Amino acid sequence: MTPNNRIALSSDHSAIQLRRAIADHIEAQGWVVSDIGPMTPESTHYPEHGAAAARLVASGDCHLGIILCGTGQGIMMAANKVKGIRCGVCGDTFSARMIREHNDANILSIGARVVGEGLALEIVDAFLKARFEGGRHATRVDMISALEE
């Protein structure tokens, strides 16, 4: 566990049930969840939820983030507009591990209409257990960060 063991967790209306399952799962592992909703199933806008979670991570209030929408794509696009965020959509454990190890991703995006709960929890575990390798990958991450300037 890191000194800052807070995870920003957010979704749109389509992923509330999976978001709650993920929250329970990671809290059981000792993570502190900043669940920023939504809490009710009324239609919401994924860009707002992706950006809100990304701001918590970019500010350092949360170490990592997990965001969800129907496909994971739209909310990921919104999160990546926040400076300092590297978010990837993952539908498998290999990709979830690699975005941490090679890309130093700080937010994971999952499509609630794409993967089931069991696989989603495995993806979350792969993301949270992986560590950035640095080395040649650090140069590439620096190149990505330079694009924000």
Side-chain angles (χ1 to χ4, degrees):
M1 205 64 55
T2 66
N4 176 353
N5 67 338
R6 297 186 71 79
I7 294 182
L9 187 59
S10 191
S11 72
D12 69 0
H13 59 281
S14 71
I16 292 173
Q17 184 175 345
L18 182 55
R19 190 185 81 236
R20 288 181 178 154
I22 291 170
D24 291 344
H25 181 73
I26 62 178
E27 284 175 337
Q29 297 176 20
W31 291 94
V32 176
V33 174
S34 292
D35 188 338
I36 55 176
M39 302 305 173
T40 60
E42 288 81 25
S43 182
T44 61
H45 303 294
Y46 60 80
E48 294 170 351
H49 298 288
R55 287 185 191 108
L56 286 174
V57 174
S59 71
D61 288 343
C62 291
H63 178 63
L64 297 170
I66 301 170
I67 55 177
L68 305 97
C69 68
T71 64
Q73 299 292 343
I75 200 165
M76 174 271 302
M77 290 177 191
N80 277 323
K81 296 295 182 182
V82 175
K83 185 176 181 176
I85 296 304
R86 289 174 306 282
C87 178
V89 178
C90 295
D92 61 88
T93 58
F94 176 77
S95 296
R97 184 171 54 86
M98 296 308 287
I99 65 170
R100 290 282 295 138
E101 290 180 1
H102 289 193
N103 309 119
D104 199 18
N106 47 17
I107 299 183
L108 168 67
S109 183
I110 298 174
R113 295 179 178 152
V114 178
V115 300
E117 182 178 317
L119 178 56
L121 298 180
E122 291 176 13
I123 291 167
V124 166
D125 287 345
F127 179 77
L128 295 179
K129 289 176 184 170
R131 298 290 176 262
F132 182 52
E133 292 179 357
R136 71 182 192 276
H137 304 295
T139 300
R140 296 168 185 151
V141 170
D142 289 345
M143 292 170 73
I144 292 169
S145 295
L147 295 171
E148 296 175 337
E149 301 306 322

